Amino acid sequence: MAAKILIVEDEIAVREMLTFALKNNGFETFEAGNSEEALNIVSKNNINLVLLDWMLPGKAGVDIAISLRSSINTKELPIIMLTAKSEEFDKIMGLESGADDYITKPFSTKELIARIKALLRRSAPQANMEVVTFGSINLNPMTHKVKDGDKNIILGPTEFNLLHFFMTHPERVYSRTQLLDFVWGANVYVEERTVDVHILRLRKSLESEASKYIQTVRGAGYRLSK
């Protein structure tokens, strides 16, 4: 079954270009020109991924991302931010609003398709379906559920896969580059700073004690350790 992609973009020409490219690559597409249309489509369809333009009439793309992340039904929905903003601060702001990835305009459709496929792979069930436990954290790849003690933790696809990787490879330090290769994929270009943002989001989602398991090793990277 084809993945369902929602394109949220107010420029009709850009929407048409994206729709053409996505359909040629086997995706089913939905289109929205503003936040109201976008949220309405998400509520009525089983959308697999959202391409979200930063600059929209009315509610901005970052605000839509925040809305999606604040709802229990869409908290795990993969989001790629489309932005003309190239400054690092703007990119980090987009990620911190809830986006899993971003791509700066102008971009090649080949790169965008590669990013979409990579994020959908990260959102898919893990190859290793065994339940894993570390300290107070329990992660079930089959059901995509995480518990910290008795508390259910809802994570986006990237944070889930990042935590799953750490829990299956504890007590070892991984550089940002290694984490990008293992979690994001070796053939996908994402800036190393992106790893820091997702680590921060993962820590915020966990209970205070469990968040300390994810340790920063100065000058080397990150590790999961008690």
Side-chain angles (χ1 to χ4, degrees):
M1 184 178 295
K4 298 178 180 180
I5 312 294
L6 170 59
I7 303 165
V8 188
E9 166 66 65
D10 61 317
E11 294 187 32
I12 296 176
V14 176
R15 279 210 313 270
E16 290 177 346
M17 178 271 290
L18 291 172
T19 297
F20 178 79
L22 290 171
K23 286 185 175 180
N24 277 353
N25 281 272
F27 296 108
E28 183 178 350
T29 61
F30 295 77
E31 298 180 34
N34 56 55
S35 60
E36 184 177 351
E37 291 178 1
L39 296 174
N40 185 49
I41 290 172
V42 168
S43 69
K44 295 180 179 179
N45 299 275
N46 186 24
I47 299 297
N48 300 112
L49 184 145
V50 177
L51 291 179
L52 183 57
D53 186 35
W54 181 298
M55 301 298 291
L56 291 168
K59 185 179 288 188
V62 290
D63 296 319
I64 297 176
I66 291 170
S67 295
L68 292 173
R69 286 289 175 256
S70 64
S71 170
I72 189 69
N73 295 322
T74 55
K75 191 174 181 65
E76 299 178 10
L77 181 62
I79 301 171
I80 296 179
M81 189 78 75
L82 308 176
T83 174
K85 298 174 179 288
S86 59
E87 295 297 324
E88 182 182 37
F89 171 80
D90 295 316
K91 294 175 182 178
I92 299 306
M93 181 179 175
L95 290 169
E96 289 182 340
S97 72
D100 296 285
D101 197 0
Y102 61 84
I103 187 165
T104 305
K105 298 178 181 179
F107 52 80
S108 73
T109 53
K110 286 185 178 180
E111 180 184 2
L112 178 61
I113 297 299
R115 297 283 190 95
I116 290 171
K117 289 180 177 179
L119 183 50
L120 288 173
R121 284 196 300 271
R122 300 205 299 272
S123 307
Q126 302 291 315
N128 182 357
M129 292 290 108
E130 293 182 2
V131 175
V132 287
T133 301
F134 187 91
S136 61
I137 308 173
N138 180 280
L139 183 148
N140 188 330
M142 184 70 75
T143 61
H144 209 278
K145 290 184 177 180
V146 178
K147 296 193 77 171
D148 188 353
D150 294 327
K151 180 182 178 183
N152 291 316
I153 306 296
I154 299 176
L155 301 174
T158 303
E159 285 77 43
F160 183 90
N161 285 341
L162 190 58
L163 179 60
H164 185 248
F165 178 78
F166 276 133
M167 291 179 70
T168 52
H169 301 81
E171 305 295 346
R172 178 178 171 181
V173 178
Y174 289 91
S175 68
R176 292 173 179 83
T177 300
Q178 289 174 317
L179 289 171
L180 286 173
D181 286 344
F182 289 126
V183 180
W184 277 257
N187 297 319
V188 177
Y189 174 74
V190 180
E191 293 180 17
E192 290 187 0
R193 181 73 174 88
T194 303
V195 176
D196 300 331
V197 175
H198 287 287
I199 290 285
L200 178 62
R201 279 163 54 174
L202 179 55
R203 283 172 172 160
K204 285 182 176 179
S205 297
L206 297 171
E207 290 291 318
S208 58
E209 286 304 311
S211 66
K212 296 176 183 177
Y213 297 156
I214 303 170
Q215 300 173 0
T216 302
V217 181
R218 190 170 300 228
Y222 298 99
R223 72 178 169 209
L224 186 73
S225 176
K226 297 179 186 178

